[in-house]
Amino acid sequence: MTEILKSVLFGIIQGITEWLPISSTGHMILLNEFVTLNVSPEFWEMFKVVIQFGSILAVVLLFWNKIFPFDFKAGKIVKTDIMQMWFKVVAGCIPAGLLVAFGLDDVCDALFQNYLTVAIMLILFGVLFIMIENRNKGREPKVTDISQITYRAAFIIGIFQLIAAVFPGTSRSGATIVGALLLGISRTVAAEFTFFLAIPTMFGASLLKLVKFGFAFSAEELVILAVGMVVAFAVSIVVIRFLMDYVKRHDFKIFGWYRIILGVIVIVYFMSFA
């Protein structure tokens, strides 16, 4: 299989698993066991993060009217409701931002970037999804519009995002959605806020990895990265639309069961063949 086709496959997995709360890291680890890019370890570490940039662009395109805070055609240039939403997103980014600011992200990767941590977090948050959905059954959510999210709630959701940054396999979207559901936020609003929170978080992570790697790409590396991002962008468009439609009529328990099953598969596979 050529490296370009492998990049397409990684882009598909990234586009699907980044937004569904099932852990992109867990799936990338499994895929890498069977389909390995013939690139340097440094490029691979950068690639699996920067490929997320395509997924970010999908959010920007789909939610442009909800995230762009300026209206140059109207007399009132700044949309105050959207600007306030962005301040709350910033509050939600503080915990993970502190992790990077203190240089602890690489330390966490070294300590926890292993199959056992991934499997445990897949199972743990799968159980949490099922428990929270069972608890919320029949209850009306307290927050049904993104404007109702408080700064305190945004910061707490950010703490859950921090957990995902520390422990691979948690799933950034999964952790933030769990945090939002615990606070009584509706599934639709929880999913939307998770998407918006991803924009600065994933953009920052991608930029940091690029800076650490440097910008001296070979022609082949540049094509591999570009293809992965384009595919991740296209797949993310479809997946985000699917998820927003799905959560209007269903709960997240199916993703909880999927996480538990995948976590068990990861443990069994690595104990048997690794």
Side-chain angles (χ1 to χ4, degrees):
M1 185 183 293
T2 68
E3 304 314 298
I4 302 301
L5 288 177
K6 292 177 186 177
S7 181
V8 170
L9 190 54
F10 277 105
I12 292 170
I13 296 300
Q14 162 61 30
I16 293 172
T17 60
E18 184 60 51
W19 304 117
L20 300 184
I22 54 177
S23 174
S24 58
T25 303
H27 288 79
M28 287 289 197
I29 286 176
L30 278 178
L31 179 59
N32 192 50
E33 284 294 305
F34 302 100
V35 181
T36 303
L37 278 172
N38 293 320
V39 294
S40 68
E42 295 78 16
F43 179 83
W44 165 246
E45 288 300 314
M46 180 275 299
F47 172 83
K48 66 183 182 181
V49 175
V50 177
I51 194 177
Q52 298 173 348
F53 191 71
S55 298
I56 302 172
L57 292 179
V59 173
V60 172
L61 176 65
L62 289 174
F63 293 95
W64 180 256
N65 291 333
K66 291 188 175 184
I67 66 173
F68 189 66
F70 304 107
D71 187 354
F72 299 111
K73 295 180 180 179
K76 192 177 182 180
I77 295 177
V78 178
K79 299 177 182 178
T80 54
D81 56 335
I82 296 179
M83 190 62 76
Q84 288 173 355
M85 182 274 293
W86 276 115
F87 288 141
K88 293 170 186 176
V89 167
V90 170
C93 289
I94 290 173
L98 291 174
L99 183 77
V100 175
F102 286 103
L104 298 176
D105 52 328
D106 289 334
V107 175
C108 291
D109 284 348
L111 288 174
F112 303 116
Q113 195 73 241
N114 56 74
Y115 84 88
L116 187 58
T117 300
V118 169
I120 290 171
M121 299 312 291
L122 278 168
I123 295 169
L124 176 60
F125 270 78
V127 171
L128 279 174
F129 264 119
I130 295 168
M131 290 176 61
I132 292 168
E133 287 290 16
N134 285 338
R135 187 203 70 167
N136 288 349
K137 189 175 182 179
R139 294 186 180 184
E140 289 296 321
K142 299 175 184 176
V143 176
T144 56
D145 188 271
I146 205 162
S147 64
Q148 296 174 317
I149 295 177
T150 64
Y151 286 98
R152 175 180 173 274
F155 186 80
I156 292 172
I157 294 171
I159 293 173
F160 278 84
Q161 180 171 247
L162 172 63
I163 295 172
V166 173
F167 300 106
T170 304
S171 168
R172 192 203 59 79
S173 61
T176 52
I177 288 172
V178 162
L181 293 178
L182 280 171
L183 295 170
I185 297 172
S186 72
R187 297 185 191 99
T188 303
V189 175
E192 276 196 8
F193 192 71
T194 291
F195 296 152
F196 301 159
L197 194 60
I199 296 173
T201 301
M202 291 165 62
F203 179 80
S206 298
L207 183 60
L208 186 63
K209 284 293 183 181
L210 274 175
V211 170
K212 287 181 179 180
F213 178 78
F215 293 89
F217 294 97
S218 68
E220 183 184 26
E221 287 174 339
L222 195 59
V223 171
I224 289 171
L225 183 60
V227 168
M229 287 193 295
V230 169
V231 173
F233 168 80
V235 174
S236 291
I237 293 285
V238 176
V239 172
I240 292 170
R241 284 175 171 167
F242 161 77
L243 184 62
M244 292 308 298
D245 182 62
Y246 180 88
V247 298
K248 291 175 183 177
R249 296 173 286 128
H250 305 283
D251 60 30
F252 284 104
K253 283 198 285 188
I254 189 172
F255 300 114
W257 286 114
Y258 178 87
R259 290 176 63 97
I260 293 169
I261 294 169
L262 180 63
V264 172
I265 290 173
V266 169
I267 291 174
V268 171
Y269 173 80
F270 280 95
M271 288 184 67
S272 302
F273 302 105

